Amino acid sequence: MDSVGVAAAAPDTGPGPAWQSKCPWGAPNTTSISCSLADVMSEQLAKELQLEEENAAFPEVVAAAEGPFITGENTDTSSDLMLAQMLQMEFDREYDAQLRREEKKINGDSKVSISFENYRKVHPYDSDSSEDEVDWQDTRHDPYRPDKPTTTPRRGFIGKGKDITTKHDEVVCGRKNTARMENFAPEFQVGDGIGMDLKLSNQVFNALKQHAYSEERRSARLHEKKEHSTAEKAVDPKTRLLLYKMVNSGMLETITGCISTGKESVVFHAYGGKSATEDKVIPPECAIKVFKTTLNEFKNRDKYIKDDYRFKDRFSKLNPRKIIRMWAEKEMHNLTRMQNAGIPCPQVVILKKHVLVMSFIGQDQVPAPKLKDVTLSNEDMKKAYYQVLNMMQQLYKECNLVHADLSEYNMLWHDGKVWLIDVSQSVEPTHPHGLEFLFRDCRNVSQFFQKGGVAEALNERELFNAVSGLNITADNEVDFQAEIEALEKMNEDHVQNHGKKLSTFSSDGDPPIYDE
Ligand code: ADP
Ligand code: MN
């Protein structure tokens, strides 16, 4: 017999050939193998196992909606609803991904970022997914990332032997945590602990950080909603609360509706109520001017306030939200000055943050028409012109102000006379561009009344001299403007040299009035 033949046949037939007992590793235990290699490599099995795992984690959602997509089988195509849901989910996911890409593209490296979070088609468990978190960090400042490189090297410790200080050292860590608070969003108040030798434990810091995150996310959401709602002539929740409080306190009877939505403000009409204090009388009808808190609208107005010495010191220290409040404050101060000089203008009732309440020019909820919208008789037109000339002079001399946005759009015709409104941007004549603003005002006024057929109306240069008391003789606009700018520069130089402004350019012999 051929020995090779026996050995070859043995595995199939006998209980075990002689060579197996001699094998140094012993006999292979074939009975314990529960599945074949083919099974192990089976994609189907892997998917089934995965499904099983996921079913445990997300029992309902996965079973109902996600399952079919992951496994590629188990597909119950008989259910139209499920098919629709599956498609919708796929669509939503694509939509969200696209939103994220756009958000990223728009925000770039900018410190101020916009969020599309509100527009996401949020999934039941996607909303809190870590992917979302990462994405969020991508587009905003990451508080974890220190501004300066840390002194602890990558290996996580410094020093040698016994003097090793690890990155986990309590004191170092505590200080670092305190310093990191500075990276929280600007609106998140962290107090003045940053300047002290305060050591925040990781636990406290993490709690604070989480809070700062959620605050920032919340405010981003509000911001979105706000932008959305102003488009619908409504206001953001914080402003609404301010308005509710005014009604609640009885100061206002009712807020009836919106009169105007501009780029920088929304104006509402309200019926006045009772004042908390005896000495103050609330007008029967009020106008509520809400300065928009959408920051970028105000960017191009910086120049008015930045160079206004009354606000100069404060300007640099303020965040954009406070700068907007300053516009409201400025309007209030300017209106009060005008009121004191007897110029027809809304009377200030109250200022709360970025909301200014004043008397309503008009009647029975109908606002007085702007000069541009009203057709006046020749006689009224002439009357209006002289009145405006007078008011401009008063504004300049008595209020020490230049309107800086004077035109037929900001003058109302009511009770047979002109009322001046919209003075948040008004500046003092010695503002670095004050005279230029005045010249622009004069041009608008002059053109309006000349076109309106008032033969007596001065031209813009004559009007400028009449209002300012200056005597600029240039007979053409270019030279005239050059002289204006020269005067402004002279005044700026004076400020540089003497630290104070001459408050008037007037050569009529009045003693100059200095800073308030
Ligand atoms: P904006 O900066 O948006 O131009 P305005 O102060 O000019 O702000 O107000 C916008 C509009 O609201 C005005 O054109 C006017 O029609 C109306 N308005 C503002 N204040 C009053 C008021 N006190 N009484 C009546 N209408 C007002
Ligand atoms: Mn206006």
Side-chain angles (χ1 to χ4, degrees), residues 259-288:
I259 307 168
S260 142
T261 30
K263 263 203 307 215
E264 289 136 1
S265 71
V266 186
V267 181
F268 296 93
H269 172 274
Y271 283 110
K274 282 189 254 359
S275 169
T277 51
E278 291 289 311
D279 54 321
K280 207 169 182 182
V281 179
I282 311 281
E285 289 184 74
C286 294
I288 309 169

PDB file of all heavy atoms in Angstrom, residues 259-288:
ATOM      1  N   ILE A 259     -45.293 102.789  11.968  1.00  0.00           N
ATOM      2  CA  ILE A 259     -45.415 103.937  11.067  1.00  0.00           C
ATOM      3  C   ILE A 259     -44.402 103.842   9.945  1.00  0.00           C
ATOM      4  O   ILE A 259     -44.666 104.182   8.804  1.00  0.00           O
ATOM      5  CB  ILE A 259     -45.157 105.267  11.815  1.00  0.00           C
ATOM      6  CG1 ILE A 259     -46.039 105.398  13.048  1.00  0.00           C
ATOM      7  CG2 ILE A 259     -45.365 106.437  10.894  1.00  0.00           C
ATOM      8  CD1 ILE A 259     -45.602 106.536  13.954  1.00  0.00           C
ATOM      9  N   SER A 260     -43.216 103.385  10.325  1.00  0.00           N
ATOM     10  CA  SER A 260     -42.143 103.398   9.322  1.00  0.00           C
ATOM     11  C   SER A 260     -41.078 102.359   9.657  1.00  0.00           C
ATOM     12  O   SER A 260     -40.767 102.130  10.821  1.00  0.00           O
ATOM     13  CB  SER A 260     -41.529 104.800   9.287  1.00  0.00           C
ATOM     14  OG  SER A 260     -40.142 104.761   9.100  1.00  0.00           O
ATOM     15  N   THR A 261     -40.566 101.715   8.627  1.00  0.00           N
ATOM     16  CA  THR A 261     -39.396 100.854   8.833  1.00  0.00           C
ATOM     17  C   THR A 261     -38.300 101.363   7.932  1.00  0.00           C
ATOM     18  O   THR A 261     -38.421 101.350   6.715  1.00  0.00           O
ATOM     19  CB  THR A 261     -39.650  99.384   8.427  1.00  0.00           C
ATOM     20  OG1 THR A 261     -40.598  99.366   7.383  1.00  0.00           O
ATOM     21  CG2 THR A 261     -40.105  98.541   9.583  1.00  0.00           C
ATOM     22  N   GLY A 262     -37.267 101.857   8.553  1.00  0.00           N
ATOM     23  CA  GLY A 262     -36.139 102.359   7.781  1.00  0.00           C
ATOM     24  C   GLY A 262     -34.982 101.403   7.922  1.00  0.00           C
ATOM     25  O   GLY A 262     -35.112 100.340   8.515  1.00  0.00           O
ATOM     26  N   LYS A 263     -33.862 101.819   7.369  1.00  0.00           N
ATOM     27  CA  LYS A 263     -32.671 100.977   7.452  1.00  0.00           C
ATOM     28  C   LYS A 263     -32.176 100.903   8.891  1.00  0.00           C
ATOM     29  O   LYS A 263     -31.689  99.891   9.339  1.00  0.00           O
ATOM     30  CB  LYS A 263     -31.571 101.559   6.565  1.00  0.00           C
ATOM     31  CG  LYS A 263     -31.504 100.908   5.204  1.00  0.00           C
ATOM     32  CD  LYS A 263     -30.138 101.092   4.597  1.00  0.00           C
ATOM     33  CE  LYS A 263     -29.743 102.545   4.583  1.00  0.00           C
ATOM     34  NZ  LYS A 263     -28.960 103.023   3.490  1.00  0.00           N
ATOM     35  N   GLU A 264     -32.305 102.019   9.596  1.00  0.00           N
ATOM     36  CA  GLU A 264     -31.709 102.073  10.923  1.00  0.00           C
ATOM     37  C   GLU A 264     -32.713 102.080  12.071  1.00  0.00           C
ATOM     38  O   GLU A 264     -32.332 101.932  13.217  1.00  0.00           O
ATOM     39  CB  GLU A 264     -30.806 103.313  11.018  1.00  0.00           C
ATOM     40  CG  GLU A 264     -29.563 103.177  10.194  1.00  0.00           C
ATOM     41  CD  GLU A 264     -29.239 104.434   9.418  1.00  0.00           C
ATOM     42  OE1 GLU A 264     -29.952 105.422   9.518  1.00  0.00           O
ATOM     43  OE2 GLU A 264     -28.251 104.402   8.684  1.00  0.00           O
ATOM     44  N   SER A 265     -33.963 102.289  11.735  1.00  0.00           N
ATOM     45  CA  SER A 265     -34.938 102.329  12.826  1.00  0.00           C
ATOM     46  C   SER A 265     -36.324 101.880  12.380  1.00  0.00           C
ATOM     47  O   SER A 265     -36.637 101.871  11.196  1.00  0.00           O
ATOM     48  CB  SER A 265     -35.023 103.752  13.375  1.00  0.00           C
ATOM     49  OG  SER A 265     -35.669 104.581  12.429  1.00  0.00           O
ATOM     50  N   VAL A 266     -37.107 101.492  13.370  1.00  0.00           N
ATOM     51  CA  VAL A 266     -38.512 101.185  13.141  1.00  0.00           C
ATOM     52  C   VAL A 266     -39.289 102.133  14.047  1.00  0.00           C
ATOM     53  O   VAL A 266     -38.934 102.298  15.210  1.00  0.00           O
ATOM     54  CB  VAL A 266     -38.851  99.730  13.528  1.00  0.00           C
ATOM     55  CG1 VAL A 266     -40.278  99.381  13.141  1.00  0.00           C
ATOM     56  CG2 VAL A 266     -37.886  98.772  12.862  1.00  0.00           C
ATOM     57  N   VAL A 267     -40.316 102.781  13.499  1.00  0.00           N
ATOM     58  CA  VAL A 267     -41.079 103.730  14.310  1.00  0.00           C
ATOM     59  C   VAL A 267     -42.511 103.225  14.470  1.00  0.00           C
ATOM     60  O   VAL A 267     -43.152 102.820  13.504  1.00  0.00           O
ATOM     61  CB  VAL A 267     -41.073 105.149  13.675  1.00  0.00           C
ATOM     62  CG1 VAL A 267     -41.853 106.129  14.533  1.00  0.00           C
ATOM     63  CG2 VAL A 267     -39.644 105.638  13.458  1.00  0.00           C
ATOM     64  N   PHE A 268     -42.985 103.218  15.729  1.00  0.00           N
ATOM     65  CA  PHE A 268     -44.344 102.768  16.034  1.00  0.00           C
ATOM     66  C   PHE A 268     -45.183 103.917  16.563  1.00  0.00           C
ATOM     67  O   PHE A 268     -44.656 104.885  17.100  1.00  0.00           O
ATOM     68  CB  PHE A 268     -44.320 101.683  17.119  1.00  0.00           C
ATOM     69  CG  PHE A 268     -43.627 100.431  16.696  1.00  0.00           C
ATOM     70  CD1 PHE A 268     -42.279 100.246  16.972  1.00  0.00           C
ATOM     71  CD2 PHE A 268     -44.312  99.425  16.026  1.00  0.00           C
ATOM     72  CE1 PHE A 268     -41.629  99.086  16.577  1.00  0.00           C
ATOM     73  CE2 PHE A 268     -43.668  98.264  15.637  1.00  0.00           C
ATOM     74  CZ  PHE A 268     -42.326  98.094  15.912  1.00  0.00           C
ATOM     75  N   HIS A 269     -46.474 103.761  16.405  1.00  0.00           N
ATOM     76  CA  HIS A 269     -47.404 104.710  17.011  1.00  0.00           C
ATOM     77  C   HIS A 269     -47.969 104.089  18.285  1.00  0.00           C
ATOM     78  O   HIS A 269     -48.198 102.872  18.331  1.00  0.00           O
ATOM     79  CB  HIS A 269     -48.558 105.033  16.050  1.00  0.00           C
ATOM     80  CG  HIS A 269     -49.643 105.839  16.690  1.00  0.00           C
ATOM     81  ND1 HIS A 269     -50.687 105.258  17.393  1.00  0.00           N
ATOM     82  CD2 HIS A 269     -49.839 107.182  16.761  1.00  0.00           C
ATOM     83  CE1 HIS A 269     -51.480 106.209  17.857  1.00  0.00           C
ATOM     84  NE2 HIS A 269     -50.988 107.386  17.484  1.00  0.00           N
ATOM     85  N   ALA A 270     -48.170 104.903  19.308  1.00  0.00           N
ATOM     86  CA  ALA A 270     -48.786 104.403  20.539  1.00  0.00           C
ATOM     87  C   ALA A 270     -49.641 105.497  21.159  1.00  0.00           C
ATOM     88  O   ALA A 270     -49.379 106.686  20.967  1.00  0.00           O
ATOM     89  CB  ALA A 270     -47.702 103.976  21.525  1.00  0.00           C
ATOM     90  N   TYR A 271     -50.664 105.049  21.877  1.00  0.00           N
ATOM     91  CA  TYR A 271     -51.433 106.009  22.669  1.00  0.00           C
ATOM     92  C   TYR A 271     -50.794 106.116  24.045  1.00  0.00           C
ATOM     93  O   TYR A 271     -50.472 105.092  24.655  1.00  0.00           O
ATOM     94  CB  TYR A 271     -52.896 105.573  22.779  1.00  0.00           C
ATOM     95  CG  TYR A 271     -53.668 105.861  21.510  1.00  0.00           C
ATOM     96  CD1 TYR A 271     -54.110 104.823  20.679  1.00  0.00           C
ATOM     97  CD2 TYR A 271     -53.952 107.175  21.128  1.00  0.00           C
ATOM     98  CE1 TYR A 271     -54.805 105.087  19.496  1.00  0.00           C
ATOM     99  CE2 TYR A 271     -54.642 107.443  19.950  1.00  0.00           C
ATOM    100  CZ  TYR A 271     -55.060 106.409  19.138  1.00  0.00           C
ATOM    101  OH  TYR A 271     -55.740 106.687  17.973  1.00  0.00           O
ATOM    102  N   GLY A 272     -50.614 107.353  24.487  1.00  0.00           N
ATOM    103  CA  GLY A 272     -49.954 107.567  25.768  1.00  0.00           C
ATOM    104  C   GLY A 272     -50.842 107.191  26.935  1.00  0.00           C
ATOM    105  O   GLY A 272     -52.070 107.226  26.839  1.00  0.00           O
ATOM    106  N   GLY A 273     -50.220 106.822  28.040  1.00  0.00           N
ATOM    107  CA  GLY A 273     -50.963 106.465  29.241  1.00  0.00           C
ATOM    108  C   GLY A 273     -50.691 107.461  30.349  1.00  0.00           C
ATOM    109  O   GLY A 273     -50.604 108.665  30.102  1.00  0.00           O
ATOM    110  N   LYS A 274     -50.488 106.897  31.549  1.00  0.00           N
ATOM    111  CA  LYS A 274     -50.239 107.774  32.695  1.00  0.00           C
ATOM    112  C   LYS A 274     -48.791 107.645  33.141  1.00  0.00           C
ATOM    113  O   LYS A 274     -48.226 106.553  33.144  1.00  0.00           O
ATOM    114  CB  LYS A 274     -51.170 107.392  33.856  1.00  0.00           C
ATOM    115  CG  LYS A 274     -52.593 107.912  33.662  1.00  0.00           C
ATOM    116  CD  LYS A 274     -53.398 107.716  34.896  1.00  0.00           C
ATOM    117  CE  LYS A 274     -54.429 106.635  34.892  1.00  0.00           C
ATOM    118  NZ  LYS A 274     -54.818 105.747  33.909  1.00  0.00           N
ATOM    119  N   SER A 275     -48.251 108.754  33.541  1.00  0.00           N
ATOM    120  CA  SER A 275     -46.869 108.726  34.007  1.00  0.00           C
ATOM    121  C   SER A 275     -46.813 108.301  35.471  1.00  0.00           C
ATOM    122  O   SER A 275     -47.742 108.560  36.245  1.00  0.00           O
ATOM    123  CB  SER A 275     -46.256 110.121  33.855  1.00  0.00           C
ATOM    124  OG  SER A 275     -45.030 110.174  34.517  1.00  0.00           O
ATOM    125  N   ALA A 276     -45.728 107.654  35.840  1.00  0.00           N
ATOM    126  CA  ALA A 276     -45.560 107.229  37.226  1.00  0.00           C
ATOM    127  C   ALA A 276     -45.335 108.440  38.128  1.00  0.00           C
ATOM    128  O   ALA A 276     -45.722 108.453  39.291  1.00  0.00           O
ATOM    129  CB  ALA A 276     -44.394 106.256  37.335  1.00  0.00           C
ATOM    130  N   THR A 277     -44.704 109.459  37.558  1.00  0.00           N
ATOM    131  CA  THR A 277     -44.451 110.654  38.364  1.00  0.00           C
ATOM    132  C   THR A 277     -45.422 111.766  37.973  1.00  0.00           C
ATOM    133  O   THR A 277     -45.800 111.894  36.813  1.00  0.00           O
ATOM    134  CB  THR A 277     -43.004 111.159  38.158  1.00  0.00           C
ATOM    135  OG1 THR A 277     -42.761 111.267  36.749  1.00  0.00           O
ATOM    136  CG2 THR A 277     -41.990 110.199  38.770  1.00  0.00           C
ATOM    137  N   GLU A 278     -45.788 112.545  38.980  1.00  0.00           N
ATOM    138  CA  GLU A 278     -46.796 113.597  38.801  1.00  0.00           C
ATOM    139  C   GLU A 278     -46.369 114.667  37.802  1.00  0.00           C
ATOM    140  O   GLU A 278     -47.163 115.123  36.979  1.00  0.00           O
ATOM    141  CB  GLU A 278     -47.085 114.273  40.158  1.00  0.00           C
ATOM    142  CG  GLU A 278     -47.809 113.390  41.154  1.00  0.00           C
ATOM    143  CD  GLU A 278     -49.262 113.152  40.773  1.00  0.00           C
ATOM    144  OE1 GLU A 278     -49.956 114.139  40.481  1.00  0.00           O
ATOM    145  OE2 GLU A 278     -49.693 111.986  40.760  1.00  0.00           O
ATOM    146  N   ASP A 279     -45.074 115.032  37.894  1.00  0.00           N
ATOM    147  CA  ASP A 279     -44.613 116.197  37.134  1.00  0.00           C
ATOM    148  C   ASP A 279     -44.531 115.955  35.626  1.00  0.00           C
ATOM    149  O   ASP A 279     -44.456 116.888  34.843  1.00  0.00           O
ATOM    150  CB  ASP A 279     -43.242 116.654  37.666  1.00  0.00           C
ATOM    151  CG  ASP A 279     -42.231 115.515  37.668  1.00  0.00           C
ATOM    152  OD1 ASP A 279     -42.627 114.380  37.991  1.00  0.00           O
ATOM    153  OD2 ASP A 279     -41.062 115.765  37.337  1.00  0.00           O
ATOM    154  N   LYS A 280     -44.563 114.705  35.240  1.00  0.00           N
ATOM    155  CA  LYS A 280     -44.390 114.419  33.820  1.00  0.00           C
ATOM    156  C   LYS A 280     -45.728 114.061  33.177  1.00  0.00           C
ATOM    157  O   LYS A 280     -46.492 113.272  33.721  1.00  0.00           O
ATOM    158  CB  LYS A 280     -43.420 113.257  33.646  1.00  0.00           C
ATOM    159  CG  LYS A 280     -42.694 113.293  32.322  1.00  0.00           C
ATOM    160  CD  LYS A 280     -41.572 112.289  32.309  1.00  0.00           C
ATOM    161  CE  LYS A 280     -40.809 112.351  31.006  1.00  0.00           C
ATOM    162  NZ  LYS A 280     -39.755 111.351  30.972  1.00  0.00           N
ATOM    163  N   VAL A 281     -45.979 114.682  32.029  1.00  0.00           N
ATOM    164  CA  VAL A 281     -47.224 114.377  31.329  1.00  0.00           C
ATOM    165  C   VAL A 281     -46.893 113.597  30.061  1.00  0.00           C
ATOM    166  O   VAL A 281     -46.050 114.022  29.265  1.00  0.00           O
ATOM    167  CB  VAL A 281     -47.986 115.674  30.980  1.00  0.00           C
ATOM    168  CG1 VAL A 281     -49.270 115.350  30.223  1.00  0.00           C
ATOM    169  CG2 VAL A 281     -48.278 116.475  32.240  1.00  0.00           C
ATOM    170  N   ILE A 282     -47.530 112.465  29.896  1.00  0.00           N
ATOM    171  CA  ILE A 282     -47.305 111.678  28.688  1.00  0.00           C
ATOM    172  C   ILE A 282     -48.230 112.216  27.597  1.00  0.00           C
ATOM    173  O   ILE A 282     -49.436 112.367  27.829  1.00  0.00           O
ATOM    174  CB  ILE A 282     -47.625 110.177  28.925  1.00  0.00           C
ATOM    175  CG1 ILE A 282     -46.964 109.658  30.200  1.00  0.00           C
ATOM    176  CG2 ILE A 282     -47.268 109.336  27.706  1.00  0.00           C
ATOM    177  CD1 ILE A 282     -45.525 109.333  30.119  1.00  0.00           C
ATOM    178  N   PRO A 283     -47.681 112.526  26.420  1.00  0.00           N
ATOM    179  CA  PRO A 283     -48.540 113.042  25.352  1.00  0.00           C
ATOM    180  C   PRO A 283     -49.612 112.018  24.978  1.00  0.00           C
ATOM    181  O   PRO A 283     -49.394 110.816  25.130  1.00  0.00           O
ATOM    182  CB  PRO A 283     -47.565 113.244  24.178  1.00  0.00           C
ATOM    183  CG  PRO A 283     -46.197 113.100  24.723  1.00  0.00           C
ATOM    184  CD  PRO A 283     -46.278 112.353  25.999  1.00  0.00           C
ATOM    185  N   PRO A 284     -50.771 112.492  24.508  1.00  0.00           N
ATOM    186  CA  PRO A 284     -51.849 111.550  24.171  1.00  0.00           C
ATOM    187  C   PRO A 284     -51.452 110.548  23.084  1.00  0.00           C
ATOM    188  O   PRO A 284     -51.887 109.411  23.099  1.00  0.00           O
ATOM    189  CB  PRO A 284     -52.985 112.454  23.698  1.00  0.00           C
ATOM    190  CG  PRO A 284     -52.373 113.806  23.474  1.00  0.00           C
ATOM    191  CD  PRO A 284     -51.160 113.893  24.326  1.00  0.00           C
ATOM    192  N   GLU A 285     -50.613 110.997  22.159  1.00  0.00           N
ATOM    193  CA  GLU A 285     -50.121 110.067  21.139  1.00  0.00           C
ATOM    194  C   GLU A 285     -48.599 110.115  21.115  1.00  0.00           C
ATOM    195  O   GLU A 285     -48.012 111.198  21.190  1.00  0.00           O
ATOM    196  CB  GLU A 285     -50.671 110.425  19.753  1.00  0.00           C
ATOM    197  CG  GLU A 285     -52.157 110.142  19.606  1.00  0.00           C
ATOM    198  CD  GLU A 285     -52.661 110.408  18.188  1.00  0.00           C
ATOM    199  OE1 GLU A 285     -52.368 109.600  17.287  1.00  0.00           O
ATOM    200  OE2 GLU A 285     -53.344 111.430  17.986  1.00  0.00           O
ATOM    201  N   CYS A 286     -48.005 108.947  21.017  1.00  0.00           N
ATOM    202  CA  CYS A 286     -46.535 108.870  21.056  1.00  0.00           C
ATOM    203  C   CYS A 286     -45.989 108.171  19.821  1.00  0.00           C
ATOM    204  O   CYS A 286     -46.661 107.350  19.192  1.00  0.00           O
ATOM    205  CB  CYS A 286     -46.069 108.092  22.279  1.00  0.00           C
ATOM    206  SG  CYS A 286     -46.445 108.904  23.827  1.00  0.00           S
ATOM    207  N   ALA A 287     -44.759 108.525  19.496  1.00  0.00           N
ATOM    208  CA  ALA A 287     -44.009 107.791  18.470  1.00  0.00           C
ATOM    209  C   ALA A 287     -42.884 107.066  19.196  1.00  0.00           C
ATOM    210  O   ALA A 287     -42.224 107.646  20.052  1.00  0.00           O
ATOM    211  CB  ALA A 287     -43.442 108.753  17.433  1.00  0.00           C
ATOM    212  N   ILE A 288     -42.720 105.781  18.883  1.00  0.00           N
ATOM    213  CA  ILE A 288     -41.649 105.000  19.503  1.00  0.00           C
ATOM    214  C   ILE A 288     -40.619 104.685  18.430  1.00  0.00           C
ATOM    215  O   ILE A 288     -40.907 103.968  17.470  1.00  0.00           O
ATOM    216  CB  ILE A 288     -42.186 103.671  20.076  1.00  0.00           C
ATOM    217  CG1 ILE A 288     -43.403 103.929  20.983  1.00  0.00           C
ATOM    218  CG2 ILE A 288     -41.099 102.932  20.836  1.00  0.00           C
ATOM    219  CD1 ILE A 288     -44.136 102.661  21.362  1.00  0.00           C
TER     220      ILE A 288
END
